[in-house]
Amino acid sequence: MTLFKWSKLIGVICTLGIVLYSWIGLSQSPQPSVRLTTNPPINQVQPLEAEATTVLGSGHYNPPVQLMLQAVDAQGQSLKDAKIHLQLFTPPKNPWFTTDFPIVEGTKLLDIEGNAPTGQLQVQQTLPIRGTYQLQIAVTPLVANAFEPIQQTLTLTLPENSLKFRYFGILVVILLAVGLLGGWVIGGRQPIQPGEIAPQRVRLLLSGLIVVAIAALLWVNISAELAESHHTMSMPGMGEEVPPSSKPAKLQSQELYMQLSGDENATVGQSAKLQVSVSDPKTSQPVTDVVLKVTTTQLENNWLAFAYEGTPDSNGKLAWEQEFFDGAPHSIVVEVAPQANAIRQFQPFQVAENIPVEGVAPPMSVRLISLTYFTGIVIIGLLLGLWLRHRQTPRTRLTWNRSVS
């Protein structure tokens, strides 16, 4: 009886071991996934904030980064006839180390869903700030139950421009030197004339520091107000008008009707909803055997912010949301062209619309934090100068006493 119990126990243990081994093997087996590649490689990309400056960047705006998403099955083969939904989020807010575009931190930069007959979705997107972007991707089959849907989150880290660290280090050295010199002067023994509360050099130094602090505060606030005023004047009906588009927002051409619709204005840091639809004007039926090319261009400096090429859905529509991170007018252009194997062939044509974008000034807290950092560096230099001066003073006195004796 005892031998039978032991045999039964060993059998149960073996069965559990086999089940556990199978479960571990199944969990470690390849799963359907989405692969992300960029062109150029992400470590060669600079944020928009530093691209067009002659000091920190190349002096011109670079093309947007090409993001290529490829949905593959467990064997690494491309999934056919898929629909890919992409949501791109900017790096999260960090009030202590803000970027040049603090309004767009922690916001949704792009939201687009497109058909992917070969399992691939490509977009071109300008990345405005440094940090880690998050891509939330959902892949579903166009044909029901063709494959299991995929939900995946990927990250993309955009490095900071290395020249910024160099110039920041130079600025820190200069501010430390100013504070060090001030502390050295204040810490020295200086005679006080009758009726004075402090030596003349100390009073001149403190007066200079006060003037510099006031000038810095005025510069921070005036520059912000000028920027906000400039963006306000760019709004329709309030001064400078948005240039009219050279192409209509809806057009019927060659037995096709295409219309671009959505938000007529936008605000920095908020998503704008846009949509293009293609139909047959005779039957009012949606047209799907076409290719749509979407481009978003900033008109003030003529740089490309976003581009996408794909096909409309079963309703003949392509809808997307995009965020405008520069407070200047943008042009949305959509071109329609026939697919290579489509029965309906025609000459490509375009619709377009210019959208005013309202700029948003950085919060006062962000500006004051930056000013506090610079002031703190000067104070550290000041304290260091006082410490060095007081440390040298006893030695000077001791040397003078020895020489006298």
Side-chain angles (χ1 to χ4, degrees), residues 110 112 122-124 258 260 274-276 291-297 304-311 318-320 322 331-336 350-351:
L110 178 65
I112 188 169
Q122 295 186 18
V123 298
Q124 297 182 60
M258 181 166 63
L260 176 62
L274 299 164
Q275 176 181 280
V276 61
V291 177
L292 299 174
K293 299 179 181 178
V294 182
T295 57
T296 300
T297 305
L304 186 64
F306 167 73
Y308 170 75
E309 180 176 336
T311 59
L318 173 65
W320 74 99
Q322 65 178 109
S331 174
I332 314 295
V333 179
V334 182
E335 179 182 283
V336 61
Q350 297 178 340
V351 294

Side-chain angles (χ1 to χ4, degrees), residues 32 138-141 147-151:
V139 183
T140 54
F147 57 84
E148 289 294 327
I150 303 173
Q151 299 281 342

